[in-house]
mmCIF file of all heavy atoms in Angstrom:
data_model
loop_
_atom_site.group_PDB
_atom_site.id
_atom_site.type_symbol
_atom_site.label_atom_id
_atom_site.label_comp_id
_atom_site.label_asym_id
_atom_site.label_seq_id
_atom_site.Cartn_x
_atom_site.Cartn_y
_atom_site.Cartn_z
ATOM 1 N N ASP A 1 20.600 -2.107 -4.830
ATOM 2 C CA ASP A 1 19.282 -1.609 -5.210
ATOM 3 C C ASP A 1 18.167 -2.467 -4.624
ATOM 4 O O ASP A 1 17.186 -1.944 -4.085
ATOM 5 C CB ASP A 1 19.148 -1.567 -6.737
ATOM 6 C CG ASP A 1 20.061 -0.532 -7.386
ATOM 7 O OD1 ASP A 1 20.549 0.356 -6.659
ATOM 8 O OD2 ASP A 1 20.313 -0.642 -8.594
ATOM 9 N N THR A 2 18.293 -3.776 -4.725
ATOM 10 C CA THR A 2 17.253 -4.690 -4.226
ATOM 11 C C THR A 2 17.066 -4.569 -2.724
ATOM 12 O O THR A 2 15.934 -4.582 -2.224
ATOM 13 C CB THR A 2 17.600 -6.148 -4.579
ATOM 14 O OG1 THR A 2 17.707 -6.269 -6.009
ATOM 15 C CG2 THR A 2 16.535 -7.110 -4.075
ATOM 16 N N LEU A 3 18.164 -4.423 -1.991
ATOM 17 C CA LEU A 3 18.120 -4.357 -0.538
ATOM 18 C C LEU A 3 18.067 -2.920 -0.018
ATOM 19 O O LEU A 3 18.063 -2.710 1.197
ATOM 20 C CB LEU A 3 19.326 -5.091 0.056
ATOM 21 C CG LEU A 3 19.492 -6.564 -0.358
ATOM 22 C CD1 LEU A 3 20.713 -7.168 0.343
ATOM 23 C CD2 LEU A 3 18.236 -7.370 -0.025
ATOM 24 N N ALA A 4 18.043 -1.962 -0.947
ATOM 25 C CA ALA A 4 17.944 -0.543 -0.595
ATOM 26 C C ALA A 4 19.005 -0.137 0.432
ATOM 27 O O ALA A 4 18.710 0.523 1.428
ATOM 28 C CB ALA A 4 16.539 -0.214 -0.083
ATOM 29 N N ILE A 5 20.238 -0.536 0.171
ATOM 30 C CA ILE A 5 21.327 -0.270 1.108
ATOM 31 C C ILE A 5 21.967 1.081 0.803
ATOM 32 O O ILE A 5 22.304 1.374 -0.344
ATOM 33 C CB ILE A 5 22.398 -1.372 1.028
ATOM 34 C CG1 ILE A 5 21.808 -2.714 1.471
ATOM 35 C CG2 ILE A 5 23.621 -1.025 1.872
ATOM 36 C CD1 ILE A 5 22.678 -3.898 1.126
ATOM 37 N N ASP A 6 22.117 1.900 1.829
ATOM 38 C CA ASP A 6 22.859 3.143 1.737
ATOM 39 C C ASP A 6 23.834 3.150 2.912
ATOM 40 O O ASP A 6 23.419 3.206 4.060
ATOM 41 C CB ASP A 6 21.924 4.358 1.798
ATOM 42 C CG ASP A 6 22.636 5.655 1.467
ATOM 43 O OD1 ASP A 6 23.830 5.783 1.828
ATOM 44 O OD2 ASP A 6 22.017 6.549 0.882
ATOM 45 N N PHE A 7 25.112 3.079 2.595
ATOM 46 C CA PHE A 7 26.112 2.977 3.659
ATOM 47 C C PHE A 7 26.268 4.288 4.435
ATOM 48 O O PHE A 7 26.888 4.302 5.503
ATOM 49 C CB PHE A 7 27.473 2.574 3.070
ATOM 50 C CG PHE A 7 27.501 1.160 2.565
ATOM 51 C CD1 PHE A 7 27.384 0.883 1.212
ATOM 52 C CD2 PHE A 7 27.659 0.096 3.451
ATOM 53 C CE1 PHE A 7 27.422 -0.426 0.757
ATOM 54 C CE2 PHE A 7 27.691 -1.218 2.995
ATOM 55 C CZ PHE A 7 27.580 -1.479 1.641
ATOM 56 N N TYR A 8 25.731 5.377 3.915
ATOM 57 C CA TYR A 8 25.955 6.692 4.526
ATOM 58 C C TYR A 8 24.691 7.298 5.123
ATOM 59 O O TYR A 8 24.765 8.279 5.861
ATOM 60 C CB TYR A 8 26.544 7.651 3.493
ATOM 61 C CG TYR A 8 27.775 7.085 2.828
ATOM 62 C CD1 TYR A 8 27.721 6.580 1.531
ATOM 63 C CD2 TYR A 8 28.991 7.029 3.510
ATOM 64 C CE1 TYR A 8 28.856 6.032 0.923
ATOM 65 C CE2 TYR A 8 30.123 6.488 2.906
ATOM 66 C CZ TYR A 8 30.040 5.997 1.622
ATOM 67 O OH TYR A 8 31.156 5.454 1.041
ATOM 68 N N ASP A 9 23.530 6.739 4.838
ATOM 69 C CA ASP A 9 22.269 7.274 5.317
ATOM 70 C C ASP A 9 21.783 6.453 6.508
ATOM 71 O O ASP A 9 21.995 5.246 6.565
ATOM 72 C CB ASP A 9 21.227 7.240 4.181
ATOM 73 C CG ASP A 9 19.987 8.057 4.509
ATOM 74 O OD1 ASP A 9 19.915 8.621 5.614
ATOM 75 O OD2 ASP A 9 19.080 8.103 3.656
ATOM 76 N N THR A 10 21.102 7.106 7.445
ATOM 77 C CA THR A 10 20.584 6.398 8.622
ATOM 78 C C THR A 10 19.199 5.798 8.369
ATOM 79 O O THR A 10 18.681 5.066 9.212
ATOM 80 C CB THR A 10 20.493 7.345 9.823
ATOM 81 O OG1 THR A 10 19.591 8.410 9.524
ATOM 82 C CG2 THR A 10 21.867 7.912 10.165
ATOM 83 N N ALA A 11 18.602 6.104 7.231
ATOM 84 C CA ALA A 11 17.250 5.615 6.948
ATOM 85 C C ALA A 11 17.255 4.113 6.694
ATOM 86 O O ALA A 11 18.236 3.532 6.227
ATOM 87 C CB ALA A 11 16.668 6.345 5.747
ATOM 88 N N VAL A 12 16.128 3.489 7.025
ATOM 89 C CA VAL A 12 15.882 2.087 6.684
ATOM 90 C C VAL A 12 14.675 2.068 5.760
ATOM 91 O O VAL A 12 13.586 2.496 6.132
ATOM 92 C CB VAL A 12 15.617 1.229 7.944
ATOM 93 C CG1 VAL A 12 15.290 -0.195 7.554
ATOM 94 C CG2 VAL A 12 16.818 1.280 8.885
ATOM 95 N N SER A 13 14.870 1.583 4.543
ATOM 96 C CA SER A 13 13.846 1.692 3.515
ATOM 97 C C SER A 13 12.616 0.844 3.817
ATOM 98 O O SER A 13 12.726 -0.316 4.222
ATOM 99 C CB SER A 13 14.429 1.268 2.156
ATOM 100 O OG SER A 13 13.422 1.249 1.173
ATOM 101 N N ARG A 14 11.445 1.425 3.591
ATOM 102 C CA ARG A 14 10.196 0.666 3.725
ATOM 103 C C ARG A 14 10.032 -0.329 2.577
ATOM 104 O O ARG A 14 9.140 -1.174 2.616
ATOM 105 C CB ARG A 14 9.006 1.624 3.773
ATOM 106 C CG ARG A 14 9.025 2.491 5.019
ATOM 107 C CD ARG A 14 7.710 3.157 5.254
ATOM 108 N NE ARG A 14 7.740 3.934 6.489
ATOM 109 C CZ ARG A 14 6.681 4.467 7.058
ATOM 110 N NH1 ARG A 14 5.492 4.327 6.489
ATOM 111 N NH2 ARG A 14 6.792 5.162 8.167
ATOM 112 N N LYS A 15 10.871 -0.225 1.596
ATOM 113 C CA LYS A 15 10.897 -1.233 0.537
ATOM 114 C C LYS A 15 11.368 -2.574 1.092
ATOM 115 O O LYS A 15 10.989 -3.633 0.596
ATOM 116 C CB LYS A 15 11.860 -0.752 -0.569
ATOM 117 C CG LYS A 15 12.097 -1.730 -1.701
ATOM 118 C CD LYS A 15 13.098 -1.145 -2.682
ATOM 119 C CE LYS A 15 13.460 -2.140 -3.780
ATOM 120 N NZ LYS A 15 14.496 -1.601 -4.705
ATOM 121 N N VAL A 16 12.177 -2.530 2.157
ATOM 122 C CA VAL A 16 12.760 -3.733 2.752
ATOM 123 C C VAL A 16 12.083 -4.093 4.068
ATOM 124 O O VAL A 16 11.832 -5.260 4.354
ATOM 125 C CB VAL A 16 14.282 -3.541 2.961
ATOM 126 C CG1 VAL A 16 14.890 -4.724 3.693
ATOM 127 C CG2 VAL A 16 14.968 -3.348 1.619
ATOM 128 N N VAL A 17 11.796 -3.108 4.897
ATOM 129 C CA VAL A 17 11.175 -3.338 6.211
ATOM 130 C C VAL A 17 9.792 -2.690 6.221
ATOM 131 O O VAL A 17 9.677 -1.466 6.271
ATOM 132 C CB VAL A 17 12.037 -2.769 7.352
ATOM 133 C CG1 VAL A 17 11.367 -3.002 8.700
ATOM 134 C CG2 VAL A 17 13.422 -3.407 7.334
ATOM 135 N N TYR A 18 8.753 -3.535 6.170
ATOM 136 C CA TYR A 18 7.391 -2.998 6.043
ATOM 137 C C TYR A 18 6.363 -3.828 6.819
ATOM 138 O O TYR A 18 5.154 -3.601 6.693
ATOM 139 C CB TYR A 18 6.991 -2.940 4.571
ATOM 140 C CG TYR A 18 7.175 -4.243 3.828
ATOM 141 C CD1 TYR A 18 6.205 -5.249 3.869
ATOM 142 C CD2 TYR A 18 8.333 -4.474 3.096
ATOM 143 C CE1 TYR A 18 6.386 -6.444 3.199
ATOM 144 C CE2 TYR A 18 8.521 -5.673 2.420
ATOM 145 C CZ TYR A 18 7.544 -6.650 2.472
ATOM 146 O OH TYR A 18 7.739 -7.839 1.821
ATOM 147 N N SER A 19 6.816 -4.779 7.640
ATOM 148 C CA SER A 19 5.899 -5.650 8.396
ATOM 149 C C SER A 19 6.643 -6.182 9.613
ATOM 150 O O SER A 19 7.861 -6.028 9.731
ATOM 151 C CB SER A 19 5.451 -6.821 7.516
ATOM 152 O OG SER A 19 6.578 -7.635 7.175
ATOM 153 N N ASP A 20 5.906 -6.824 10.527
ATOM 154 C CA ASP A 20 6.567 -7.435 11.674
ATOM 155 C C ASP A 20 7.569 -8.508 11.229
ATOM 156 O O ASP A 20 8.632 -8.676 11.830
ATOM 157 C CB ASP A 20 5.530 -8.060 12.618
ATOM 158 C CG ASP A 20 4.908 -7.044 13.568
ATOM 159 O OD1 ASP A 20 5.321 -5.858 13.538
ATOM 160 O OD2 ASP A 20 4.014 -7.433 14.328
ATOM 161 N N ASP A 21 7.233 -9.240 10.163
ATOM 162 C CA ASP A 21 8.104 -10.301 9.666
ATOM 163 C C ASP A 21 9.426 -9.727 9.162
ATOM 164 O O ASP A 21 10.509 -10.216 9.532
ATOM 165 C CB ASP A 21 7.395 -11.077 8.556
ATOM 166 C CG ASP A 21 8.199 -12.294 8.093
ATOM 167 O OD1 ASP A 21 8.717 -13.028 8.952
ATOM 168 O OD2 ASP A 21 8.291 -12.496 6.867
ATOM 169 N N THR A 22 9.356 -8.686 8.336
ATOM 170 C CA THR A 22 10.589 -8.093 7.807
ATOM 171 C C THR A 22 11.334 -7.294 8.881
ATOM 172 O O THR A 22 12.561 -7.205 8.851
ATOM 173 C CB THR A 22 10.297 -7.198 6.592
ATOM 174 O OG1 THR A 22 9.277 -6.239 6.931
ATOM 175 C CG2 THR A 22 9.824 -8.026 5.398
ATOM 176 N N LEU A 23 10.591 -6.749 9.841
ATOM 177 C CA LEU A 23 11.235 -6.084 10.976
ATOM 178 C C LEU A 23 12.067 -7.097 11.769
ATOM 179 O O LEU A 23 13.210 -6.819 12.148
ATOM 180 C CB LEU A 23 10.182 -5.435 11.866
ATOM 181 C CG LEU A 23 10.685 -4.602 13.050
ATOM 182 C CD1 LEU A 23 11.417 -3.356 12.572
ATOM 183 C CD2 LEU A 23 9.518 -4.200 13.949
ATOM 184 N N GLY A 24 11.486 -8.285 12.000
ATOM 185 C CA GLY A 24 12.236 -9.337 12.665
ATOM 186 C C GLY A 24 13.462 -9.746 11.885
ATOM 187 O O GLY A 24 14.532 -9.981 12.441
ATOM 188 N N GLY A 25 13.311 -9.800 10.554
ATOM 189 C CA GLY A 25 14.451 -10.123 9.710
ATOM 190 C C GLY A 25 15.556 -9.091 9.808
ATOM 191 O O GLY A 25 16.745 -9.434 9.882
ATOM 192 N N TYR A 26 15.172 -7.826 9.840
ATOM 193 C CA TYR A 26 16.182 -6.765 9.903
ATOM 194 C C TYR A 26 16.956 -6.822 11.222
ATOM 195 O O TYR A 26 18.184 -6.719 11.246
ATOM 196 C CB TYR A 26 15.532 -5.394 9.735
ATOM 197 C CG TYR A 26 16.527 -4.305 9.411
ATOM 198 C CD1 TYR A 26 16.943 -4.086 8.102
ATOM 199 C CD2 TYR A 26 17.073 -3.515 10.408
ATOM 200 C CE1 TYR A 26 17.878 -3.107 7.800
ATOM 201 C CE2 TYR A 26 18.006 -2.529 10.122
ATOM 202 C CZ TYR A 26 18.402 -2.326 8.817
ATOM 203 O OH TYR A 26 19.337 -1.351 8.520
ATOM 204 N N PHE A 27 16.237 -7.040 12.320
ATOM 205 C CA PHE A 27 16.926 -7.129 13.603
ATOM 206 C C PHE A 27 17.724 -8.423 13.748
ATOM 207 O O PHE A 27 18.705 -8.467 14.492
ATOM 208 C CB PHE A 27 15.943 -6.931 14.759
ATOM 209 C CG PHE A 27 15.719 -5.479 15.068
ATOM 210 C CD1 PHE A 27 14.646 -4.806 14.528
ATOM 211 C CD2 PHE A 27 16.611 -4.779 15.863
ATOM 212 C CE1 PHE A 27 14.447 -3.458 14.779
ATOM 213 C CE2 PHE A 27 16.426 -3.429 16.126
ATOM 214 C CZ PHE A 27 15.348 -2.765 15.592
#
């Protein structure tokens, strides 16, 4: 729930990735 993980969906939640900083973290 905290990391908004869905193993079956291709979406990446804006709850987790919403800035250049978090985008860098995701990559």
Side-chain angles (χ1 to χ4, degrees):
D1 293 343
T2 300
L3 303 181
I5 296 166
D6 190 325
F7 290 101
Y8 307 104
D9 192 358
T10 61
V12 177
S13 175
R14 294 195 177 190
K15 175 182 175 183
V16 175
V17 179
Y18 53 83
S19 64
D20 277 357
D21 186 45
T22 53
L23 184 66
Y26 196 84
F27 275 95

